[in-house]
Each structure stands twice: as C-alpha cells, then as structure tokens.
Amino acid sequence: MDERIILNLHQRIKNRSHAYVSNIEKTDQQVENVLSMHRQRGATIVRTLVEGDVLRSNQFDDQQIVDYVQHEEFLIKLKDEFYVEERECVRRATFLRETCQSDHQIGFEGELSENDETAHVEFSHEESEESIQRATYDRRKAVQYAERWWNDYNPQYEKFENNCTNFISQCLRAGGAEMRGFSNRSKGWWYNGRTWSYSWSVANAMRWYLSGANSGLRGEERARAELLEPGDVICYDFNGNGSWQHTTIVVAKDANGEPLVNAQTTNSRMRYWKYEDSTAWTPQIQYKFFHIKI
C-alpha cells in the first residue's frame, strides 16, 4: 500500500482523537454524536487515545479502499468521578490516489435481519425443588466475564459475525444461569457444542425469552434503566418496529446512577447505555430493561 495513504490515514486518526477534546469545529459526524450524547448527561471527555490498524486494502485503478480497525479509549469525567470507556470499530476509507474521499464506520451494531421463527420461542416451565434451591446468579462473575472477553472471543464458544447476543449469553452462563430446553432450538436457552438455541444467539429471541420464561433464566422487566444492577441486561430495537437487534450487559453505574454496559459486534466497554452515538440509533429506538433472575 502507498506510504502516502498510510500517512494520510494516521493523520486522520490523530485528528479524530484531538477533536474529542478540542474546541475546533467538528467535521466528523461520529465525533459530534459522541460529544453531544455526553454533553446531555453532563459528562466531559478529558483525554483520549485513538489508534488504528489496517485490516485489508484493495486497489481498483486509481482508487484504493482501506478497511481498518479503530480502537478508542475515553477518560470521561461525570460530576467528581472519572472512568474509562473503550470501544473498537471497523472503518472504511476510500482514497483517490492519495486523497481521502470518504472515511466512515462500517457494519451494524446488532443484527440486520432475523428469521421470523426466532420470535416464537417456547419457554420451559418445569423445575424441581432441588434446582430451585441450588440455582443462584452470581452477578460479580457475570461482570468479570464481560470485562475479560468484551474485546476477545472465548474459544469454548462459536463466534458469529453478529456476536452481541452470543456474548451476553456467555456472560449470563458465567454468572450461573441455568441452560434449559436442549435440543429444540426454539425452546429454552442453551448452548451445546456446535448447536444452540435461538435465544442464546439472536437478540430478538433473547428479548422474548427473558420476558416469557418463568423458570431457569428469567428477566424481570424494570421501568427505567436506573433500576438495573450490574449483571442485568438491556435489549435494543433501534428502529422501533418490534424487531429487537442488540443486547448489552450492565457492568457498572455512573455518577448519575445510570448503567454503563459492555457489548460486542462493535466491541464496547463501559459504554453509556443509551447508544445515542451509535450508527444504528434512530429517534424511534425502544429499550427493554431486564433484571436477571434464576
């Protein structure tokens, strides 16, 4: 790849990092979305580290398309508290000779489409007295797993292109949530080697499973995000059309008492739960807040 393109790309990443904390005019819409969201909640980004690594490059005559992964770290101040948010996204820059024509995030923060049958999940109601006495949900272990694997992939599990709900299921399992319903993919919540239930891996199916199951892994709906605790789950319908596309896990609460979440697909750590800075966000977004019980 042309060295001038590499230098151009590095300069763009450096400028983007500086834009988060400077008073210069923001020309990157994604930067402005991040800053606007934090301003509304009373938070300030006081320091940033933005780095990039080229994933692939393709040449078409005078045009070069470069896909690269961008890792961002934000030191955020809210009231008198500081915390670090991290995220990793894939961007695509298009160059005509050495001049950049466009540079934007690619991919979708969730699942673009789903099979209709994933919305029709059956719920397992059978439960013995012994399992009731034995079952516990260790929120600390679920959060520890979310912190360990938010930007990595546990080789014990299958990895998907849209991995958000698979990741959340792994966190819940690490916290002790019971698997039920094997081997019917439309029943229960389970993972077994090379196969798994829809509710394990599909955001829409998990949302309906959490609100419908009355034994094993269950979700008790809460009216507001502030009522959630670390280890709880938030489901997202970005378009507000009844198709749930994303899932996150609460790992902490900020100084306002609102959740900070970890997630995958766009791998994120300690991210403000509203996702108003997401490329998938629309004004029609709907949320479901689940307090996890087993």
Side-chain angles (χ1 to χ4, degrees), residues 95-190:
F95 293 86
L96 183 61
R97 300 180 181 88
E98 69 270 16
T99 302
C100 186
Q101 303 295 303
S102 66
D103 182 1
H104 59 275
Q105 183 173 333
I106 60 176
F108 184 80
E109 295 205 68
E111 298 159 7
L112 284 170
S113 61
E114 297 172 0
N115 191 313
D116 288 343
E117 65 183 315
T118 63
H120 305 293
V121 180
E122 300 174 25
F123 310 109
S124 178
H125 302 291
E126 70 279 358
E127 182 156 31
S128 68
E129 183 177 348
E130 178 184 3
S131 66
I132 293 175
Q133 294 174 346
R134 188 177 62 240
T136 59
Y137 180 53
D138 191 327
R139 297 175 174 276
R140 180 180 58 87
K141 288 184 178 179
V143 169
Q144 286 177 340
Y145 189 97
E147 289 284 270
R148 164 62 182 87
W149 293 103
W150 73 271
N151 199 28
D152 199 358
Y153 302 94
N154 189 337
Q156 296 181 13
Y157 294 97
E158 191 79 12
K159 175 189 171 185
F160 304 103
E161 181 178 358
N162 300 312
N163 208 57
C164 62
T165 304
N166 178 39
F167 170 65
I168 300 307
S169 286
Q170 292 173 35
C171 296
L172 296 174
R173 181 60 181 156
E178 290 185 278
M179 296 190 292
R180 292 165 178 264
F182 178 79
S183 60
N184 185 338
R185 298 194 69 193
S186 297
K187 183 176 181 181
W189 174 80
W190 53 269

Side-chain angles (χ1 to χ4, degrees), residues 1-224:
M1 188 165 60
D2 192 317
E3 184 177 352
R4 292 172 297 179
I5 289 180
I6 295 176
L7 292 174
N8 185 311
L9 200 55
H10 277 246
Q11 187 61 49
R12 296 183 65 82
I13 293 170
K14 182 179 178 180
N15 292 345
R16 192 172 297 127
S17 179
H18 183 57
Y20 282 115
V21 293
S22 70
N23 293 319
I24 64 174
E25 182 180 354
K26 309 301 186 295
T27 58
D28 188 307
Q29 186 60 51
Q30 182 65 20
V31 171
E32 181 53 44
N33 290 344
V34 171
L35 294 176
S36 175
M37 182 188 69
H38 287 307
R39 279 196 300 266
Q40 291 180 40
R41 58 191 283 254
T44 304
I45 298 177
V46 297
R47 187 179 302 165
T48 64
L49 174 63
V50 181
E51 299 177 316
D53 291 299
V54 172
L55 294 174
R56 64 190 72 89
S57 175
N58 293 297
Q59 182 82 39
F60 303 97
D61 297 325
D62 291 335
Q63 186 179 73
Q64 183 129 12
I65 299 175
V66 182
D67 290 347
Y68 66 99
V69 59
Q70 178 173 283
H71 184 88
E72 304 170 331
E73 291 185 18
F74 305 131
L75 177 62
I76 297 174
K77 181 180 180 182
L78 179 61
K79 296 181 177 177
D80 293 326
E81 297 183 6
F82 294 84
Y83 70 92
V84 175
E85 175 189 338
E86 298 179 75
R87 69 178 73 176
E88 192 169 271
C89 63
V90 177
R91 297 181 66 94
R92 174 166 293 164
T94 302
F95 293 86
L96 183 61
R97 300 180 181 88
E98 69 270 16
T99 302
C100 186
Q101 303 295 303
S102 66
D103 182 1
H104 59 275
Q105 183 173 333
I106 60 176
F108 184 80
E109 295 205 68
E111 298 159 7
L112 284 170
S113 61
E114 297 172 0
N115 191 313
D116 288 343
E117 65 183 315
T118 63
H120 305 293
V121 180
E122 300 174 25
F123 310 109
S124 178
H125 302 291
E126 70 279 358
E127 182 156 31
S128 68
E129 183 177 348
E130 178 184 3
S131 66
I132 293 175
Q133 294 174 346
R134 188 177 62 240
T136 59
Y137 180 53
D138 191 327
R139 297 175 174 276
R140 180 180 58 87
K141 288 184 178 179
V143 169
Q144 286 177 340
Y145 189 97
E147 289 284 270
R148 164 62 182 87
W149 293 103
W150 73 271
N151 199 28
D152 199 358
Y153 302 94
N154 189 337
Q156 296 181 13
Y157 294 97
E158 191 79 12
K159 175 189 171 185
F160 304 103
E161 181 178 358
N162 300 312
N163 208 57
C164 62
T165 304
N166 178 39
F167 170 65
I168 300 307
S169 286
Q170 292 173 35
C171 296
L172 296 174
R173 181 60 181 156
E178 290 185 278
M179 296 190 292
R180 292 165 178 264
F182 178 79
S183 60
N184 185 338
R185 298 194 69 193
S186 297
K187 183 176 181 181
W189 174 80
W190 53 269
Y191 185 97
N192 185 19
R194 302 292 293 182
T195 187
W196 45 85
S197 65
Y198 291 125
S199 58
W200 180 279
S201 62
V202 178
N204 199 45
M206 171 170 275
R207 175 261 181 271
W208 290 108
Y209 183 79
L210 288 176
S211 64
N214 62 8
S215 63
L217 173 65
R218 292 170 291 154
E220 181 179 88
E221 291 190 32
R222 295 288 168 88
R224 304 191 311 277

Side-chain angles (χ1 to χ4, degrees), residues 237-254:
D237 172 4
F238 288 116
N239 301 316
N241 61 4
S243 179
W244 299 82
Q245 302 145 315
H246 192 48
T247 320
T248 68
I249 184 168
V250 178
V251 294
K253 304 290 281 290
D254 68 15

